[in-house]
Amino acid sequence: MDDNEALALAHQVLAYVELLQNAPEVPMIPAPFANDANFISYHEKAAELRSIVAALARGDLSIPITMKGFIAGACKNLQANLRHMIWKVQQVEQGDYTQRIDFLGEFSKSFNTMAEKLAVTIEELRQKEEALTALAISLQQEARRRSDALHELKKSEQRFKELAQRDPLTNLYNRRSFFAFAETGVQSAAALKEPCCVCLLDVDYFKRFNDTFGHLEGDRALQYVVQHSLSELHQPNIMGRYGGEEFIFFFSSVGKEQGYAEADRIRLAIERNTFPLENGGTASLTVSLGVAVILPDEQTEDYAKKLRLGIARADTALYEAKAQGRNRICLAPLAEPTMDSANPSISM
């Protein structure tokens, strides 16, 4: 083989090597070396090395590297480092931000910086989460305090409303509240075209009782009268304190006979029981009552006026019951007195 032939053959080998390095596919063995065992062995090792490098480039670290030599050793080392790096990343993923690497040069520096910043960021997030949790707990506690305060305020409001409506001694509706409820009752009875009644009650000889036993016992006696009156009062009838030892009732949807019967049950309940004094003794109490019927066919729709006129008639009947000897009931006549002749103390 002359020099020109040798040079041409060398150029074929160089072209082949360049294709091994740069071509997307493994080149064919040059024809002059197609049966050369050494060249074929080199070709197979070069093809295998290309596969290893391509796999590493794709991130495929599962390919086995059985070759020996410097390049194969370098690929093995890179493969091992990349596997170790993946394990480190997995540890970071699980929350271990202390992981560091020192075997991949600039990449190691970037990885370590990332892990450090992650550690700082996670710690800041943890602190913020703790602060937010504490704030949420504080807000919940404040919300509970406000809710409790609002509940107590509503209870107080209801209590003050009750106090404004109730007589403090007997806990009955006071005069103003009774008139409001009773006026509504008169209106309802008129709408149903049914009669209703008002009734005034006066404790008999109450001044004498106070003079004999004292005003504290007098207060207890009024509570006693209320207790026994309420025990005989049917729903939706109501009772209020009219003033002093006088009490007032509204009997819903009842006529003359029923109104009288309602009043008599109350009178008998007080008469048949004895009042227990604080000193261990007892005293008898009786009451007088006047009942007036409010008819549904009256012309005016001024229900407050109807109520006032009914009370005026009941007051007249009460006066008659006391004049007849007390401890009795008198029914008012159905004819209404004028307001000039009615008791001037009747007011809303």
Side-chain angles (χ1 to χ4, degrees):
M1 177 185 299
D2 59 22
D3 291 340
N4 289 332
E5 290 176 343
L7 183 60
L9 192 60
H11 285 167
Q12 277 188 294
V13 172
L14 290 174
Y16 165 77
V17 172
E18 187 172 356
L19 287 173
L20 277 175
Q21 293 176 346
N22 301 318
E25 301 293 337
V26 178
M28 299 294 291
I29 298 175
F33 305 102
N35 296 315
D36 188 298
N38 290 330
F39 203 97
I40 291 172
S41 176
Y42 173 79
H43 175 82
E44 291 173 350
K45 290 178 180 179
E48 183 180 354
L49 190 59
R50 276 175 58 104
S51 297
I52 293 170
V53 172
L56 293 175
R58 293 194 306 270
D60 180 5
L61 305 182
S62 64
I63 186 170
I65 303 176
T66 58
M67 294 177 60
K68 298 186 182 299
F70 177 79
I71 296 177
C75 288
K76 284 182 181 181
N77 190 47
L78 176 61
Q79 186 185 57
N81 286 339
L82 290 174
R83 284 175 174 170
H84 191 55
M85 183 196 70
I86 289 174
W87 181 84
K88 292 277 188 180
V89 170
Q90 290 171 341
Q91 296 303 111
V92 171
E93 183 182 17
Q94 294 174 14
D96 182 2
Y97 304 108
T98 63
Q99 295 295 325
R100 301 291 184 270
I101 59 176
D102 56 6
F103 45 77
L104 286 176
E106 289 297 319
F107 183 85
S108 297
K109 182 178 179 181
S110 297
F111 175 89
N112 294 338
T113 301
M114 177 198 69
E116 291 169 2
K117 288 184 176 180
L118 277 174
V120 172
T121 301
I122 294 300
E123 177 60 22
E124 290 175 350
L125 288 174
R126 185 191 63 78
Q127 292 176 0
K128 289 180 179 179
E129 183 180 12
E130 289 180 353
L132 287 173
T133 300
L135 178 61
I137 293 173
S138 176
L139 289 174
Q140 289 174 350
Q141 292 172 342
E142 180 64 21
R144 281 196 294 269
R145 284 194 292 269
R146 287 177 180 270
S147 178
D148 292 343
L150 182 60
H151 180 66
E152 290 300 319
L153 181 62
K154 288 182 177 179
K155 284 174 60 178
S156 298
E157 182 182 356
Q158 182 62 30
R159 178 60 180 159
F160 284 127
K161 185 177 179 181
E162 286 287 325
L163 289 174
Q165 291 181 334
R166 299 282 180 173
D167 169 61
L169 175 65
T170 62
N171 200 38
L172 293 174
Y173 289 122
N174 58 29
R175 186 166 175 153
R176 181 185 300 248
S177 298
F178 176 88
F179 270 72
F181 288 117
E183 183 180 339
T184 300
V186 172
Q187 183 178 1
S188 298
L192 295 171
K193 299 187 182 304
E194 294 178 343
C196 55
C197 292
V198 287
C199 172
L200 283 173
L201 176 153
D202 184 81
V203 180
D204 295 332
Y205 303 110
F206 189 66
K207 183 178 183 305
R208 182 191 303 173
F209 183 95
N210 273 340
D211 292 342
T212 303
F213 299 109
H215 287 280
L216 291 179
E217 287 285 26
D219 287 346
R220 293 183 59 248
L222 293 179
Q223 292 170 341
Y224 166 87
V225 168
V226 170
Q227 174 190 348
H228 287 283
S229 298
L230 290 176
S231 69
E232 299 298 326
L233 198 65
H234 296 159
Q235 292 292 339
N237 300 336
I238 59 173
M239 178 181 182
R241 189 174 184 187
Y242 195 60
E245 69 273 20
E246 287 190 325
F247 299 93
I248 187 167
F249 301 84
F250 178 78
F251 301 147
S252 176
S253 300
V254 297
K256 180 175 64 174
E257 292 80 7
Q258 291 171 296
Y260 186 95
E262 292 278 346
D264 201 40
R265 276 203 317 275
I266 294 169
R267 183 191 67 80
L268 288 173
I270 296 167
E271 180 190 33
R272 290 171 179 173
N273 290 280
T274 53
F275 172 65
L277 297 166
E278 287 283 3
N279 62 13
T282 59
S284 296
L285 289 171
T286 61
V287 295
S288 301
L289 301 99
V291 178
V293 179
I294 301 175
L295 296 175
D297 57 352
E298 295 167 315
Q299 297 300 311
T300 179
E301 291 187 358
D302 186 344
Y303 302 109
K305 181 179 179 181
K306 284 186 178 183
L307 179 62
R308 289 196 302 271
L309 292 174
I311 294 172
R313 298 203 314 273
D315 193 51
T316 300
L318 172 62
Y319 181 81
E320 182 65 24
K322 293 165 70 173
Q324 291 182 15
R326 294 181 170 82
N327 191 24
R328 68 191 63 235
I329 300 164
C330 281
L331 283 169
L334 293 179
E336 293 182 347
T338 65
M339 288 306 294
D340 291 338
S341 63
N343 190 332
S345 68
I346 298 172
S347 65
M348 308 297 251

